[in-house]
Amino acid sequence: MKNEKIMLAERPKGLPTKDTFRFENEDIKEPSEGEILLKTLYISVDPYMRSRMNDKESYVPPFKLDEPLNGGIIARVEKSQNDAFQEGDVVTGRLPWQRYTTTNGDGLQKIDESIAPLTAYLGVLGLTGLTAYFGLLHIGEPKENETVVVSGAAGAVGMVVGQIAKLKGARVVGIAGSKQKIDYLKEELNFDYVINYKEENVLASLKEACPNGVDVYFDNVGGSISDDVLSLINKFARIPICGQISQYNKEEAEHVPRLQPLLLTKSALMKGFIVGDYADGFKEAVKELGKWVRDGKVKYEENIVEGFENVPHAFLGLFSGANLGKQLVKVAE
């Protein structure tokens, strides 16, 4: 059997294309003492991966040219020469985009399928849910009757943010880009107001949705949408900066308003964060998120594409807003 993998073929300029990726085959490496052989079951594709395609310093190293990309993966142990893992164990961790991986097991966590479906560990019970949890609760700190605005609200992080804000008694306004997403946020997740940025004047709609201003803005997108939200923030507003998907494919930085005067006059807090900053609290956070999911207080959606060959296609779909919730690729049973 051959091992198929997906390499970074070029550093894209602007939006990546199919030429950004290259499929290669190699022999499967048998595990030696202390190693395990993993079979990939599910691959998570995420917007932040676009910034890793650039050869720029960031909070994580860039992907290397002519090497496999990597990210969140669920895999099954096929063979084990490591006492910590048994054949049949299912694990999750940051692994390369390939069908099989031989590793010493460092950084992997075993998954308990009795708590939640496997895929939840790449979404609401994985880094996605943890990002929403810590960004909102540790930076946004929503209070009862405050107004929380979430951009990218129908994405995997945004929908969890909105639901947690509702649990804390806040009024939640979401921004998304299709009727399907608007309807889902309103009808399934009970957002108080949802704005379709592709069809509405965002600033005018925000003024209608937020008559008392904005207390917390969870920013997933950046760009002009964020400019509009920030113009309505209240005194002592809190602004967690989670993502900037509107900017990831731009070759040159946009000229934007200088925010220091606004933050000063509003006594506002704007803070960027990486979920790994809160690693010490992961265990307790997953426990609380798991309880909310079991109790039906937090729902989640997944968009699952089948086939290893479709990983690049699924990734590119992130930038056209094709996905509702978490975007995953199913590679094997």
Side-chain angles (χ1 to χ4, degrees):
M1 291 179 62
K2 290 289 187 179
N3 184 20
E4 192 175 18
K5 53 187 181 179
I6 302 175
M7 320 291 280
L8 181 64
E10 63 179 16
R11 298 204 183 277
K13 297 184 183 299
L15 186 68
T17 70
K18 60 182 179 60
D19 294 330
T20 303
F21 309 93
R22 183 176 69 250
F23 287 80
E24 290 188 2
N25 290 311
E26 66 178 5
D27 292 333
I28 295 175
K29 180 179 179 294
E30 291 293 320
S32 56
E33 185 67 29
E35 292 183 329
I36 55 177
L37 174 64
L38 298 174
K39 181 176 183 178
T40 298
L41 303 181
Y42 290 92
I43 293 176
S44 171
V45 294
D46 301 285
Y48 81 90
M49 293 174 173
R50 172 60 186 88
S51 60
R52 294 191 66 194
M53 294 177 176
N54 299 328
D55 191 15
K56 293 181 180 179
E57 183 178 352
S58 185
Y59 59 90
V60 287
F63 294 128
K64 294 182 178 180
L65 279 173
D66 302 316
E67 290 191 11
L69 295 92
N70 61 74
I73 283 177
I74 291 172
R76 184 178 63 240
V77 178
E78 295 289 284
K79 298 180 181 180
S80 178
Q81 297 286 344
N82 184 322
D83 292 340
F85 298 91
Q86 305 299 315
E87 292 181 14
D89 285 348
V90 180
V91 300
T92 184
R94 188 176 299 280
L95 293 165
W97 283 6
Q98 49 194 51
R99 291 183 182 271
Y100 293 89
T101 299
T102 303
T103 172
N104 62 10
D106 287 351
L108 298 179
Q109 291 83 43
K110 293 182 184 180
I111 290 176
D112 185 350
E113 295 181 67
S114 68
I115 296 175
L118 288 182
T119 53
Y121 290 89
L122 288 177
V124 67
L125 298 184
L127 293 182
T128 298
L130 292 168
T131 297
Y133 182 96
F134 287 106
L136 181 66
L137 298 181
H138 286 242
I139 302 173
E141 297 184 339
K143 301 175 180 62
E144 193 167 358
N145 297 321
E146 286 192 326
T147 295
V148 175
V149 176
V150 187
S151 57
V157 172
M159 63 174 55
V160 177
V161 169
Q163 291 178 86
I164 296 175
K166 292 287 289 182
L167 287 173
K168 299 301 178 181
R171 184 172 174 275
V172 177
V173 176
I175 303 174
S178 74
K179 184 179 185 305
Q180 177 199 18
K181 293 176 180 180
I182 300 299
D183 291 346
Y184 179 81
L185 295 172
K186 284 181 178 178
E187 297 168 11
E188 292 294 326
L189 303 188
N190 299 313
F191 278 46
D192 295 283
Y193 200 110
V194 187
I195 297 167
N196 186 335
Y197 74 87
K198 291 184 178 179
E199 297 184 357
E200 301 177 45
N201 180 304
V202 174
L203 182 57
S205 295
L206 279 167
K207 288 178 178 178
E208 180 180 337
C210 309
N212 299 316
V214 176
D215 300 295
V216 180
Y217 173 44
F218 197 100
D219 185 6
N220 285 308
V221 304
S224 61
I225 289 174
S226 291
D227 294 341
D228 289 341
V229 179
L230 291 172
S231 72
L232 300 177
I233 62 171
N234 290 328
K235 193 163 187 178
F236 305 118
R238 290 84 66 198
I239 306 149
I241 306 296
C242 176
Q244 300 284 283
I245 192 171
S246 71
Q247 307 300 299
Y248 291 159
N249 293 309
K250 295 186 181 298
E251 295 185 55
E252 295 184 9
E254 292 182 337
H255 294 288
V256 297
R258 292 177 178 169
L259 295 177
Q260 293 93 327
L262 175 67
L263 300 177
L264 174 63
T265 57
K266 295 293 185 178
S267 301
L269 169 71
M270 176 182 281
K271 183 178 180 181
F273 74 100
I274 307 303
V275 67
D277 299 342
Y278 301 93
D280 289 347
F282 280 7
K283 186 175 181 180
E284 285 304 310
V286 170
K287 183 178 178 180
E288 188 164 20
L289 284 164
K291 184 176 187 306
W292 287 337
V293 170
R294 287 193 302 274
D295 292 345
K297 294 179 178 179
V298 169
K299 301 177 183 180
Y300 64 96
E301 284 293 322
E302 298 168 333
N303 190 51
I304 301 178
V305 173
E306 296 209 14
F308 186 72
E309 68 279 6
N310 290 318
V311 173
H313 175 73
F315 174 75
L316 296 177
L318 295 171
F319 301 100
S320 61
N323 60 301
L324 173 66
K326 184 68 178 178
Q327 181 65 64
L328 301 171
V329 179
K330 182 178 180 180
V331 177
E333 293 293 339

